[in-house]
Amino acid sequence: MAHAAVVSLQQKLHEMLVDENFWFVMLDKNFRFLREVVSFWHAFLEDSLSKRNAPEAVEHLESRVKYLGTQLLDRINLYELEKRSPDFNPLNSKVFPDYIVTAASDSVKEYLMKVMNGPNDIDALTTWNTVESDSECTPHLQDTVLDLDNGLLTIKSRLIGPPSKLDVVSIIGMGGIGKTTLARQVYDDIYMEHHFYIRAWITVSQMHQRREMLLGILRYFSLVNDNTYRKSTEQLAEQVYRSLKGRRYLIAMDDVWDTNAWDDMKRSFPDDKNGSRVILTSRLANVGMYASSGSLPHYMRC
């Protein structure tokens, strides 16, 4: 499966990043770029809205991701064998050839082009609080990448900067514009892994259930067993609260459709004035503003 290949690849790239024997990969621009591409792949495969936006584009990209992910894993394994040679010189060798990097980049560009130009039956429904889409907006892929980079820096600074009180960073934009991708890139960032003591990611969706959201968070802490499922929803909420209490945490709530979903969860998020954060993505502006309660949401433009 494409997802299994991407997860394995992401883990391998992370191992290379923290392994002092692979210090030279930080000098390879292809390595840094591929980490971003693989983060996009991961977010894409977990995006609960993608399959409804452009099914043909999704199917094509899944096929490409599976193939390219396997190719990249094979290349890493081959490189590790080459590294054992006495004549090996890391500065004269590339982990990832340019042709693979180009193919990986093209897979993202093709997908963005198809999704942004494809039909979206959900977004055709206009409501007063839905972020407007510009019908004359033409996707410029280079601009899209630059916007994601700028958004990445903006969100990162809000997560690690002031205030010390619990803060909600909302990412708002129309369906398929890349909210999950941006949130996932920030969430998976190696600095965030070190900055926050614990992290959890849950996908909320339209038909949200408080119990499932609470269990989703507890699974990240390996606190789910047979006894957990016997607990009431209020007991689960208390368990989440106690698990987070006194620790600097990062919780990502992806694809939130109404304010009730936030109301169901906020009581389980303690505010210990230690810089804890919640990332929330939504296509509805009023949901983001309601959850942020004073902090301005981050609006993604087309």
Side-chain angles (χ1 to χ4, degrees):
M1 291 177 60
H3 187 268
V6 169
V7 170
S8 297
L9 180 58
Q10 207 166 28
Q11 182 178 357
K12 197 70 177 177
L13 291 173
H14 178 71
E15 290 173 357
M16 293 173 68
L17 184 67
V18 299
D19 188 345
E20 61 182 14
N21 293 322
F22 280 93
W23 58 269
F24 47 86
V25 299
M26 294 304 295
L27 304 176
D28 187 352
K29 64 179 182 180
N30 284 350
F31 177 83
R32 297 195 298 273
F33 180 72
L34 274 174
R35 287 195 75 219
E36 296 297 322
V37 170
V38 172
S39 289
F40 174 91
W41 286 349
H42 191 192
F44 149 75
L45 291 171
E46 293 196 350
D47 187 351
S48 61
L49 297 175
S50 291
K51 295 188 182 335
R52 288 180 283 179
N53 288 344
E56 291 182 3
V58 169
E59 185 177 350
H60 177 71
L61 182 56
E62 281 183 342
S63 176
R64 294 286 292 160
V65 167
K66 181 179 180 181
Y67 172 76
L68 291 170
T70 303
Q71 290 284 307
L72 288 166
L73 283 170
D74 289 344
R75 178 56 198 165
I76 293 173
N77 292 332
L78 178 61
Y79 192 82
E80 289 178 334
L81 289 175
E82 293 175 351
K83 195 161 65 75
R84 298 173 186 174
S85 169
D87 300 324
F88 175 76
N89 184 346
L91 299 179
N92 294 333
S93 181
K94 276 190 173 182
V95 185
F96 305 110
D98 291 338
Y99 75 88
I100 293 183
V101 177
T102 301
S105 174
D106 288 345
S107 72
V108 175
K109 292 178 181 178
E110 289 172 11
Y111 173 72
L112 288 174
M113 182 68 77
K114 289 180 180 178
V115 167
M116 288 187 173
N117 287 336
N120 190 335
D121 53 347
I122 294 176
D123 287 326
L125 302 173
T126 304
T127 56
W128 71 271
N129 58 4
T130 301
V131 176
E132 272 188 46
S133 62
D134 186 351
S135 59
E136 299 180 355
C137 176
T138 302
H140 298 284
L141 297 172
Q142 189 64 33
D143 292 342
T144 301
V145 174
L146 289 174
D147 284 345
L148 284 175
D149 285 344
N150 292 335
L152 200 64
L153 292 174
T154 301
I155 301 300
K156 280 183 181 179
S157 65
R158 292 185 61 179
L159 291 180
I160 63 178
S164 59
K165 71 179 182 68
L166 174 65
D167 196 22
V168 179
V169 179
S170 298
I171 302 174
I172 308 300
M174 67 180 189
I177 200 171
K179 301 182 297 296
T180 299
T181 300
L182 177 59
R184 193 82 214 194
Q185 284 183 318
V186 175
Y187 180 88
D188 286 336
D189 188 89
I190 189 170
Y191 184 81
M192 298 301 160
E193 293 181 24
H194 294 292
H195 183 75
F196 294 99
Y197 186 80
I198 44 179
R199 299 174 303 144
W201 177 289
I202 56 173
T203 300
V204 180
S205 75
Q206 282 178 287
M207 304 298 292
H208 77 274
Q209 294 184 7
R210 185 187 181 200
R211 184 179 182 83
E212 287 304 313
M213 290 190 291
L214 293 168
L215 286 170
I217 292 177
L218 291 173
R219 288 188 187 102
Y220 272 85
F221 310 150
S222 301
L223 295 176
V224 175
N225 51 41
D226 291 341
N227 185 52
T228 308
Y229 291 105
R230 300 190 192 101
K231 293 182 177 181
S232 68
T233 301
E234 290 303 322
Q235 287 175 319
L236 293 176
E238 178 67 18
Q239 186 176 1
V240 169
Y241 181 88
R242 291 182 180 277
S243 300
L244 299 174
K245 185 65 178 173
R247 299 173 178 176
R248 184 164 59 201
Y249 58 84
L250 173 64
I251 305 294
M253 297 179 63
D254 184 37
D255 190 24
V256 180
W257 282 78
D258 61 66
T259 57
N260 290 332
W262 171 247
D263 285 337
D264 284 345
M265 297 299 295
K266 66 180 182 181
R267 292 189 299 274
S268 295
F269 301 151
D271 184 5
D272 294 310
K273 307 294 189 299
N274 59 1
S276 293
R277 296 288 184 267
V278 175
I279 304 176
L280 182 148
T281 73
S282 178
R283 62 178 63 194
L284 305 176
N286 73 310
V287 172
M289 295 179 69
Y290 178 84
S292 296
S293 62
S295 299
L296 290 176
H298 175 79
Y299 293 93
M300 296 190 69
R301 67 181 182 87
C302 187

